[in-house]
Amino acid sequence: MTPTTLGRPWRLAVAGCGAAAFGLHLPLLAASTAFDVIAVADRDPARARTAQQRFAVPRTATRVGDLLADADVLVILTGVHDSLIEEALDAGVHVVTEKPVCLDLMQTRKLAARAKDAGLLLEVGAMRAHDPALHAAFAHVPEPTGGWLVKADGVDEAARRRLLPPGFAPYTFAQDPPQPAPDHLDEHQVVALQILLWQGYHLLTALALAVPGTTATACHLDPAGQSLHALLHGPNGEPFTLVIEATPAGVFREQIHLADADAAATIDFARPYEPAATTQLTTTDGIHRGFGDPFAAMWNAVNGRLSGQHPADLPTSVDLALRVEDLALALAGLTRTDARTRKDT
């Protein structure tokens, strides 16, 4: 579908040429009739040039101002997002950014308000919000009274490495500039916030959609600062357990289980960068597979929102992002850990 408001495809500038760009976004966007990628940039110019050649992008850029020239939308696939969001909004350009917006909820609120006041889209790429398997689970258990959400990912780095051209290694968060976090959090609580927003974002997205009004109850970080166990409750006291676990290389599980008195649904999601058709939904009706691609659904929704259309059954993505980041901040603020990891001992 081409955008009706312009009569031509939306012109996209892409910042960040890592595995998400090579393996997910650029292949889809390059094949789309609704979007036209006009420029790419990366902190490693060789990555940008390789992406330009592979996906037939007209140009690369080394400065943000040059990247934004003639663009309708900036697509942010880097590790740090808020500074690029600000520059795009300053230039009057719509934004589609990887999640989270940042680690500081107040900054996210400011950016959301700026975009709204300027009449610009700030779309946060929570692809799980568009996942057909998740919505099938919601249909089976529309008002969950309990459940669990589990993430254990020891395959992501290897999967990203396979997607990149020869000679390029995956970026890690350690290579990114430091990201400011709320001042009131202790060091171990900042670690918990990073785990929640960098590893648990999709789980929190699913919970925020399944049970609006969820509140944080308790959160525990292991002494190594790698695994996190949390308890949350729905508005009527419904209990939900969240587990984000460190795991050996090669081990993967991303699972969501929702239940009420009469029904239950369990989703085992596809491994990172593998076809969504391998996602499995288990209900009392049996096992269901063959679900559509959530990334394609997400970009279709972006196209619709740019054209002034909005799905009636979903919050805007920035409103959902605020819910998720607020929930993560609340859990981080409750985080306790073994005393041996505390600086005040």
Side-chain angles (χ1 to χ4, degrees):
M1 179 173 109
T2 55
T4 57
T5 54
L6 295 178
R8 59 165 174 78
W10 300 101
R11 294 186 296 235
L12 308 183
V14 176
C17 296
F22 277 98
L24 297 172
H25 296 278
L26 286 176
L28 190 153
L29 295 172
S32 172
T33 59
F35 302 105
D36 183 14
V37 180
I38 64 168
V40 292
D42 191 86
R43 63 190 180 199
D44 180 353
R47 286 181 186 253
R49 290 192 297 270
T50 302
Q52 177 192 20
Q53 295 165 3
R54 176 172 293 190
F55 299 103
V57 178
R59 59 186 175 85
T60 64
T62 55
R63 298 186 305 172
V64 176
D66 295 334
L67 179 66
L68 295 175
D70 299 320
D72 302 309
V73 185
L74 176 63
V75 181
I76 302 174
L77 306 179
T78 57
V80 180
H81 312 136
D82 55 325
S83 58
L84 288 170
I85 294 171
E86 287 188 294
E87 293 195 58
L89 297 180
D90 286 343
V93 173
H94 300 289
V95 177
V96 177
T97 181
E98 269 287 2
K99 57 8 173 200
V101 175
C102 61
L103 294 178
D104 188 342
L105 180 63
M106 294 303 296
Q107 174 70 346
T108 299
R109 292 191 187 283
K110 290 177 182 178
L111 292 172
R114 278 197 60 194
K116 183 177 180 180
D117 291 345
L120 295 169
L121 183 75
L122 175 54
E123 182 82 9
V124 184
M127 61 88 179
R128 193 64 78 217
H130 305 277
D131 196 312
L134 184 63
H135 287 278
F138 292 165
H140 195 78
V141 188
E143 297 183 3
T145 56
W148 65 76
L149 307 96
V150 176
K151 177 75 174 285
D153 189 352
V155 304
D156 184 71
E157 183 175 350
R160 287 186 289 125
R161 191 176 297 277
R162 287 193 297 271
L163 293 172
L164 289 167
F168 294 116
Y171 285 132
T172 67
F173 285 115
Q175 297 168 303
D176 292 329
Q179 297 190 48
D183 293 336
H184 70 277
L185 296 183
D186 293 340
E187 183 177 345
H188 73 283
Q189 293 174 328
V190 172
V191 172
L193 182 65
Q194 292 170 338
I195 291 173
L196 288 160
L197 289 178
W198 293 347
Q199 299 178 45
Y201 197 97
H202 290 319
L203 300 181
L204 292 175
T205 295
L207 186 58
L209 287 171
V211 190
T214 303
T215 58
T217 305
C219 189
H220 181 83
L221 184 69
D222 81 308
Q226 296 182 330
S227 297
L228 181 147
H229 292 211
L231 178 65
L232 308 99
H233 284 92
N236 298 310
E238 309 94 326
F240 295 89
T241 300
L242 171 70
V243 178
I244 304 172
E245 191 73 31
T247 183
V251 175
F252 176 81
R253 169 163 288 185
E254 185 176 2
Q255 184 183 82
I256 292 175
H257 174 82
L258 302 172
D260 61 21
D262 302 312
T266 303
I267 314 171
D268 290 288
F269 290 101
R271 292 159 74 94
Y273 307 107
E274 291 189 2
T278 61
T279 291
Q280 177 176 294
L281 171 64
T282 303
T283 69
T284 52
D285 301 326
I287 296 175
H288 312 271
R289 299 186 183 90
F291 294 101
D293 180 8
F295 282 96
M298 182 188 79
W299 276 107
N300 188 54
V302 170
N303 179 41
R305 286 172 177 165
L306 285 166
S307 303
Q309 303 167 16
H310 180 261
D313 60 340
L314 283 178
T316 64
S317 71
V318 73
D319 288 341
L320 180 58
L322 287 168
R323 286 192 208 173
V324 169
E325 293 188 26
D326 184 59
L327 197 53
L329 180 61
L331 285 170
L334 294 171
T335 300
R336 300 293 178 264
T337 190
D338 189 290
R340 288 171 297 175
T341 67
R342 298 289 299 273
K343 285 188 169 182
D344 55 357
T345 58

